Amino acid sequence: EERGETTEEVEGEKADVRERENEAEEEGELRKRRKEKEERKRYVAMELRDDELKTLRDLLCQSLYQQKQLETEKEERYNKELQSFSKTKTEKVESERRAEIAETKTVHAASDGVRSRRFEELRLRFVQSSSRENQAGSGAGGAPGAPHGGPSAAAA
């Protein structure tokens, strides 16, 4: 009977060893599954971060593009305004210049008119004084219209 007990003990121990091995194997499987699950979670998280980064990058690019468009539009508006201002300024300067020229012409014409009137007055006075002298019979023998003591007709 002792032998039967030993066989039972050996069988019991073998069963215990197998049971512990099975438990260890199951624990190993569980750890392996947990590890795989964690890796999947990490992978999914990385993919999500990748997607988020792509989305952020796309949004940033879109924002930069819109900002560049706005700057371009602003620059175009500025250039148009500058062109318009420059054109207006040029027109204003040209208009002022034309006005100055017209004013100068008017002043010159007025001054020419004053000069020609004064010249005409002086000429008339001279002619009148010459004709009075000739009528008075100065006898100097001057040419008609020549001032007193002027060159004679014979000398001419």
Side-chain angles (χ1 to χ4, degrees):
E1 275 193 40
E2 248 184 64
R3 204 169 187 204
E5 278 181 34
T6 11
T7 310
E8 276 180 34
E9 281 178 20
V10 170
E11 287 298 318
E13 282 179 26
K14 281 184 182 177
D16 285 345
V17 168
R18 262 186 262 129
E19 193 177 321
R20 277 189 295 237
E21 284 176 352
N22 285 341
E23 285 175 5
E25 204 173 295
E26 285 175 17
E27 274 184 42
E29 285 292 318
L30 280 175
R31 270 191 237 115
K32 187 178 173 184
R33 277 192 228 121
R34 271 192 232 119
K35 193 174 181 182
E36 287 173 355
K37 191 176 177 182
E38 287 297 318
E39 283 181 25
R40 271 195 306 263
K41 276 185 185 177
R42 262 192 304 242
Y43 180 77
V44 167
M46 281 182 3
E47 280 189 343
L48 284 174
R49 267 181 272 155
D50 260 4
D51 289 346
E52 287 172 352
L53 287 174
K54 284 177 188 173
T55 303
L56 286 174
R57 187 189 68 219
D58 291 346
L59 287 173
L60 180 63
C61 287
Q62 188 178 13
S63 174
L64 288 172
Y65 177 77
Q66 288 172 344
Q67 186 178 357
K68 184 69 178 166
Q69 261 187 324
L70 288 174
E71 286 174 6
T72 301
E73 289 171 9
K74 189 177 179 182
E75 191 173 326
E76 286 172 357
R77 267 196 316 273
Y78 172 78
N79 286 337
K80 283 180 185 176
E81 287 174 10
L82 185 64
Q83 219 171 15
S84 173
F85 172 77
S86 180
K87 184 179 176 185
T88 304
K89 187 72 173 167
T90 302
E91 289 171 356
K92 185 179 177 188
V93 166
E94 286 176 359
S95 173
E96 287 173 357
R97 195 158 173 256
R98 283 193 292 273
E100 285 175 11
I101 290 170
E103 188 179 322
T104 303
K105 283 182 180 177
T106 304
V107 167
H108 284 308
S111 116
D112 286 350
V114 167
R115 269 192 242 119
S116 63
R117 271 197 307 275
R118 285 188 57 198
F119 176 77
E120 193 59 33
E121 288 170 5
L122 289 172
R123 193 183 66 75
L124 278 174
R125 266 193 251 151
F126 177 73
V127 168
Q128 287 170 353
S129 70
S130 292
S131 94
R132 267 188 252 124
E133 286 175 10
N134 285 341
Q135 286 175 359
S138 63
H148 182 68
S152 65

